Amino acid sequence: MKRALTRVAVAALAALVPFIAAPGAQAQTFGGNELLSWTVDGAPSEGLTSLNFPITVNTGTAHVAGTYFAMQYGFTGQSDIGYAGLQPRPDANGHQRLRGVFSSFISGTTSTHANCSDGADGGAGVSCGVDFDAVYGHTFRVEIARVGTDTWSGTVVDTNNGQRIPVGTYKLPAGSGNLKASQAGFIEYYNVPSCDQQPRYDVTFGGPSSGSLSGSTKWVKEYGECAGYGGTQVATVGAGVHVTRGSAG
């Protein structure tokens, strides 16, 4: 997973134009990607102190590394962003596995949490992540919450059984503010050999929430060098979106 791809997602969101199918498959270090947008309605001007992103990695998803289901988030006092989400992993010891990820690209971010390390995709910030036993088809709530002054935690919650998986905690520079009420999201292939070998995924992003406030998640466009490949299908489901793509695995 490269930080440049996340930056591409930000630029693509600004463009908001339909994707154009690529004329031919080609080998590359990443495959086609899907851009999302999300918003929470009625947020106060000072921002939010928490965000919840429901993500269901459905049973049709290949149990292989190389795909990232993510939501980006920003802060009222910062121009750089963070992201949080889930990544499929191979089965281990008879259990299905996922990885929870919680990262900041903001210079000056620090952490002493065991799941976190300095740097985010080769740049400034902090990256936190943890692999855990999971059940594909369960809805996992990716929680971001303020737990202290300029201090934020990321947690994954299995809404089917209540299991809570701490992903990490980090501290931002003073004055970073609260969470903004809208940003982008993405589905990213970060390890695919060619446009013709895209791992299968089937994922549903629900509408985000913050306390009593709720919002929506929408599909924006397909982007990247493999746009038009993978048989992407998109459907609106309530306040969220259901996306399938790929055939390998």
Side-chain angles (χ1 to χ4, degrees):
M1 170 181 50
K2 304 297 184 184
R3 185 179 183 184
L5 300 187
T6 301
R7 299 296 189 185
V8 168
V10 175
L13 179 62
L16 293 177
V17 296
F19 76 88
I20 300 173
Q26 54 188 306
Q28 55 183 25
T29 57
F30 72 99
N33 301 289
E34 307 293 336
L35 181 68
L36 311 173
S37 67
W38 64 265
T39 186
V40 172
D41 300 325
S45 58
E46 65 270 21
L48 305 169
T49 58
S50 67
L51 279 169
N52 298 317
F53 297 112
I55 303 175
T56 308
V57 182
N58 295 308
T59 56
T61 301
H63 299 191
V64 296
T67 309
Y68 189 12
F69 311 122
M71 288 302 204
Q72 298 178 178
Y73 56 90
F75 296 90
T76 56
Q78 292 286 348
S79 57
D80 274 329
I81 61 168
Y83 56 53
L86 300 172
Q87 299 174 348
R89 285 291 187 266
D91 295 351
N93 300 318
H95 296 283
Q96 298 174 353
R97 303 276 283 173
L98 290 171
R99 181 171 180 81
V101 181
F102 178 57
S103 301
S104 165
F105 292 123
I106 297 169
S107 180
T109 305
T110 60
S111 179
T112 59
H113 195 281
N115 294 340
C116 303
S117 58
D118 291 341
D121 291 345
V126 163
S127 296
C128 308
V130 63
D131 291 6
F132 60 93
D133 291 345
V135 178
Y136 286 47
H138 282 194
T139 297
F140 291 89
R141 187 172 65 244
V142 179
E143 296 183 351
I144 303 168
R146 189 178 70 188
V147 293
T149 304
D150 294 308
T151 303
W152 300 85
S153 67
T155 307
V156 174
V157 182
D158 185 332
T159 64
N160 291 71
N161 59 28
Q163 179 187 14
R164 298 181 64 85
I165 301 99
V167 181
T169 301
Y170 58 65
K171 186 175 180 64
L172 297 175
S176 291
N178 289 325
L179 293 158
K180 294 180 180 179
S182 62
Q183 240 289 344
F186 60 88
I187 305 170
E188 173 184 284
Y189 283 130
Y190 62 90
N191 182 24
V192 63
S194 75
C195 296
D196 294 324
Q197 300 180 54
Q198 300 182 31
R200 173 74 175 170
Y201 65 70
D202 183 328
V203 62
T204 303
F205 290 80
S209 64
S210 177
S212 62
L213 303 176
S214 60
S216 60
T217 299
K218 297 180 180 180
W219 180 85
V220 178
K221 59 178 276 186
E222 185 176 357
Y223 69 97
E225 295 179 33
C226 287
Y229 287 86
T232 300
Q233 295 185 10
V234 180
T236 299
V237 180
V241 63
H242 178 201
V243 185
T244 60
R245 185 183 180 123
S247 58

